[in-house]
Amino acid sequence: MLLILAINPILFAFAQTDNEALKIKLNESGSHYFQTTFLNQVWVRTTENNPGTLVQGNPESQSFDIGLRRTRLQLFGQITDRTFIYFQFGQNNFNAQYNSTSNRKIAPFFHDALGEYRISDKNQLKVGGGLSIIGGLSRFSQPSIGTITTMDVPVFAQTTVDQIDQFSRKLSVYARGQIGRWDYRYILSDPFPITSNGQTPPALAPVSNFALKGHNLQHQAYLIYQFFDQESHTTPYMTGSYLGTKKIVNIATGAIYQKNAMWNKQVSSPDTTYQNMVHWAIESFVDIPLNKEKHSALNAYIGYFNTNYGTNYLRYNGVMNPANGTSATAANSISGQGPVYGNSYPMFGTGSVVYTQIGYLLPSKNASMSNRWMPYASATLAKYDRLNGFSNNTYNFGINYYIQSNKSKLSLDFQNRPSFLVNQGELLKGQRLNSVTLQFQLFI
């Protein structure tokens, strides 16, 4: 290997440009390359916990925690003129309560491992397969987490996360491409059984849950119309913000379908009912420069999601939950649908969601993305059937400080979320609860 490096340093030189610090040229022109990136997102957070929350057996109404929201290593490259390879390895949601009753060292895993072949001369048609997040429904179902505008993504858009997938990744084959102003992708996925997600599946009940019997492939499709610049097309991940470097105005629609993915059983019936899982969404994304002299930019998004997991499906989820138990019982909480403790709230369900966000890159005399500020706000407006008409709205407000673009970034985020209680069988709205998070992101 040392001899090869000495003989031909051009082919194995690390590029030293701002965007490609860890990129290895595999040919003289650099059209064939292999690149490595690293990402670490550290959270320091204080959280108002849900009623009845226990942390290591003690009641805690408020928590302070430090954690790794995401730690990732990416390895990818254009190996030949037409073949592309991509791997991602890492871990998520690693705090003091991660795997608190088992082995905390069981954390990192392969998120992605795929190969792709470009059939057309340009990007009109690519086909690929492997373990991948590529999907239908929404750009936030396959987000580039190193470039997101808000501190975190709207996780509800990753509809089956850690249920019948591996942190939103599935074993899939796909076709994707760009034809004129159209950008498309179709995915055929082989979902994992719910029994392999490391949790005890809910028992058959009148409300739908993922079926323990049967296995069907999942179909996904996503279609974008791009009015101005085309979006990046290297990996299947979708950029959160281009920070004013492109003029992006898109509309898109997506869908997910899986036959008999869900089941339920009425108390009065001996028969089990299977139901299809069907989700669809329509959305618009804008990321444009506003004033070229002052280097300001706008990032905005709005999307409508119709999510159908079957009869009255509902699932709680808390991102990097700071707690690990509850004193609440089935009589005074919405039970059987995930943890009701800590920062959890009804994140997934049969019903509809409107999600919107806006970010404004403040004017600056500085043309580079060093020492720049971007305030943002987002709202998740959900109505799920099982909540009996109650709104389920979550709001986030924050600001990003770009020390050097997305490579070195601080984010301060305030979240206000709902809570729900059950009193003698009657669903009641609880008090709204808050959390404040400081994130330090490093991305090479």
Side-chain angles (χ1 to χ4, degrees):
M1 182 66 180
L2 291 175
L3 179 61
I4 295 173
L5 287 170
I7 292 173
N8 198 346
I10 293 176
L11 298 185
F12 291 89
F14 281 93
Q16 296 300 316
T17 65
D18 183 57
N19 294 322
E20 301 171 344
L22 296 174
K23 187 172 184 178
I24 305 172
K25 293 182 179 180
L26 301 181
N27 63 359
E28 189 169 353
S29 69
S31 62
H32 301 166
Y33 66 90
F34 193 74
Q35 186 167 354
T36 302
T37 73
F38 300 89
L39 175 121
N40 200 43
Q41 294 175 338
V42 180
W43 281 16
V44 179
R45 177 176 60 176
T46 179
T47 304
E48 292 180 342
N49 291 324
N50 293 346
T53 287
L54 301 177
V55 180
Q56 299 300 313
N58 289 330
E60 296 284 354
S61 61
Q62 187 155 345
S63 291
F64 173 86
D65 70 320
I66 303 168
L68 303 177
R69 175 65 175 103
R70 299 178 182 91
T71 298
R72 304 281 180 82
L73 163 66
Q74 290 185 109
L75 302 164
F76 62 93
Q78 193 71 37
I79 306 305
T80 72
D81 287 346
R82 294 180 181 267
T83 54
F84 177 79
I85 193 168
Y86 180 83
F87 299 96
Q88 186 172 191
F89 185 78
Q91 65 184 55
N92 313 282
N93 301 322
F94 189 80
N95 66 356
Q97 301 309 314
Y98 180 89
N99 236 358
S100 60
T101 59
S102 185
N103 185 348
R104 73 177 71 94
K105 291 180 286 187
I106 302 175
F109 59 93
F110 274 102
H111 289 64
D112 303 84
L114 67 87
E116 184 176 87
Y117 183 79
R118 178 168 54 83
I119 293 177
S120 56
D121 289 338
K122 295 184 179 179
N123 287 335
Q124 294 93 336
L125 176 60
K126 300 176 180 179
V127 295
L131 180 65
S132 176
I133 199 171
I134 187 170
L137 196 62
S138 167
R139 68 185 303 110
F140 288 115
S141 303
Q142 49 217 320
S144 167
I145 48 84
T147 64
I148 53 182
T149 298
T150 54
M151 189 191 67
D152 206 2
V153 294
V155 180
F156 78 88
Q158 299 173 37
T159 53
T160 62
V161 59
D162 277 343
Q163 300 303 299
I164 54 173
D165 56 43
Q166 181 164 288
F167 212 76
S168 293
R169 280 77 175 175
K170 300 182 182 76
L171 295 165
S172 305
V173 292
Y174 63 86
R176 68 184 183 113
Q178 292 177 326
I179 302 175
R181 296 189 180 275
W182 295 97
D183 188 311
Y184 70 92
R185 53 190 66 189
Y186 169 76
I187 306 97
L188 180 65
S189 300
D190 190 7
F192 297 103
I194 187 68
T195 51
S196 66
N197 75 342
Q199 303 168 12
T200 303
L204 260 173
V207 298
S208 286
N209 289 297
F210 286 94
L212 303 186
K213 293 184 179 180
H215 183 77
N216 290 284
L217 298 178
Q218 186 179 103
H219 301 266
Q220 303 185 66
Y222 187 59
L223 182 65
I224 312 171
Y225 184 79
Q226 307 179 105
F227 289 92
F228 298 106
D229 293 345
Q230 287 192 333
E231 294 217 51
S232 304
H233 213 263
T234 303
T235 75
Y237 286 88
M238 307 207 70
T239 299
S241 175
Y242 292 94
L243 301 175
T245 60
K246 284 192 172 187
K247 186 178 182 181
I248 303 292
V249 180
N250 294 346
I251 57 172
T253 185
I256 301 173
Y257 170 80
Q258 184 177 337
K259 182 180 179 181
N260 293 344
M262 317 300 294
W263 69 357
N264 64 56
K265 184 176 182 180
Q266 302 301 319
V267 175
S268 58
S269 172
D271 299 323
T272 299
T273 301
Y274 286 84
Q275 295 179 305
N276 302 330
M277 183 179 70
V278 184
H279 309 309
W280 61 270
I282 185 168
E283 61 188 10
S284 180
F285 174 67
V286 175
D287 194 283
I288 55 174
L290 293 179
N291 187 314
K292 292 186 178 180
E293 293 180 358
K294 296 183 178 180
H295 313 292
S296 59
L298 173 70
N299 176 278
Y301 171 91
I302 187 168
Y304 171 81
F305 297 75
N306 187 283
T307 53
N308 185 357
Y309 298 87
T311 304
N312 281 332
Y313 179 85
L314 189 73
R315 185 165 91 253
Y316 271 66
N317 187 57
V319 172
M320 201 169 75
N321 205 314
N324 68 337
T326 181
S327 61
T329 65
N332 56 18
S333 66
I334 305 175
S335 63
Q337 298 296 313
V340 297
Y341 51 77
N343 64 342
S344 294
Y345 63 94
M347 190 176 288
F348 308 90
T350 293
S352 61
V353 184
V354 173
Y355 175 75
T356 186
Q357 70 176 43
I358 186 167
Y360 176 52
L361 184 62
L362 296 177
S364 173
K365 295 180 181 180
N366 182 7
S368 72
M369 275 304 297
S370 299
N371 301 314
R372 300 293 303 275
W373 297 87
M374 176 186 274
Y376 66 82
S378 69
T380 306
L381 313 176
K383 280 206 167 182
Y384 295 142
D385 293 353
R386 195 173 173 191
L387 296 179
N388 297 334
F390 283 127
S391 61
N392 179 35
N393 301 336
T394 304
Y395 306 99
N396 289 76
F397 306 92
I399 189 165
N400 297 315
Y401 173 55
Y402 297 97
I403 302 170
Q404 186 184 359
S405 186
N406 284 306
K407 291 185 176 182
S408 180
K409 179 178 77 170
L410 285 170
S411 301
L412 182 65
D413 183 87
F414 171 83
Q415 182 187 77
N416 178 260
R417 70 180 193 277
S419 68
F420 296 88
L421 304 169
V422 175
N423 182 20
Q424 296 180 347
E426 181 184 2
L427 180 67
L428 303 173
K429 290 202 75 170
Q431 67 183 88
R432 296 192 65 84
L433 301 167
N434 304 314
S435 66
V436 178
T437 307
L438 177 66
Q439 174 185 270
F440 183 32
Q441 173 175 298
L442 291 173
F443 183 30
I444 299 177

